[in-house]
Amino acid sequence: MRRVWTLPVLLLVVGGAAGGNPFEAAVTLGVFVLLAGVMSPLAFPRSIGAVEAQRRSAVDGRPVVFWRPGCAFWLRLRLRLRLRLGHRARRMYWVDIWRDGEGAALVRAADGGDETVPTVLVAGRVYTNPDPARVRELVTPAG
């Protein structure tokens, strides 16, 4: 749990250490607070376990997205999905591989031993760091 907060706390420390005149320091701190918020676990979707996500996906066909906080590639996917799909993006099953060992093992098995995220599993197929447009295609109108 500690490592998911490392980057946000580091961003706050760096932003708080900004010097110069008070206005510049306040603006710098504001930017770093915003970045820390975006990179904190609070900004990420609710995560479930890999086993439960796969079970649910088998029933309704929704994609399972494996992610970890602080990953720029996953953040890019999430932001684009959120912009294009709105609340439907939340209907996918999200597995934080730093919190779920089975999810991390599945990603390592699919990615040749690496924990490359985002990794998307849908209908038994694995997509490593897929294009957000491809993931949008995988999300059915009902899911």
Side-chain angles (χ1 to χ4, degrees):
M1 181 65 173
R2 187 180 323 152
R3 68 179 165 176
V4 300
W5 285 100
T6 302
L7 182 59
V9 168
L10 181 63
L11 288 169
L12 290 175
V13 169
V14 169
N21 71 47
F23 177 74
E24 289 176 354
V27 169
T28 302
L29 178 60
V31 169
F32 277 86
V33 167
L34 179 65
L35 286 172
V38 169
M39 299 307 272
S40 80
L42 302 175
F44 295 109
R46 184 185 236 49
S47 184
I48 64 173
V51 173
E52 180 64 15
Q54 288 178 298
R55 185 191 67 74
R56 291 181 187 182
S57 179
V59 172
D60 60 21
R62 295 180 191 172
V64 178
V65 181
F66 296 91
W67 65 283
R68 71 171 173 265
C71 174
F73 298 107
W74 178 82
L75 189 60
R76 173 183 151 254
L77 175 69
R78 178 176 182 260
L79 291 174
R80 288 197 179 168
L81 289 178
R82 182 74 174 148
L83 290 173
R84 301 283 193 231
L85 296 176
H87 287 291
R88 287 193 310 159
R90 289 197 172 274
R91 293 183 181 164
M92 291 186 275
Y93 301 112
W94 302 88
V95 178
D96 178 352
I97 64 169
W98 279 358
R99 289 188 176 190
D100 185 72
E102 293 162 339
L106 191 144
V107 170
R108 283 191 302 270
D111 297 332
D114 295 327
E115 288 185 353
T116 305
V117 292
T119 296
V120 179
L121 174 67
V122 63
R125 292 203 55 197
V126 176
Y127 302 88
T128 300
N129 197 13
D131 180 48
R134 178 68 181 131
V135 177
R136 285 193 310 269
E137 292 172 7
L138 298 171
V139 178
T140 61

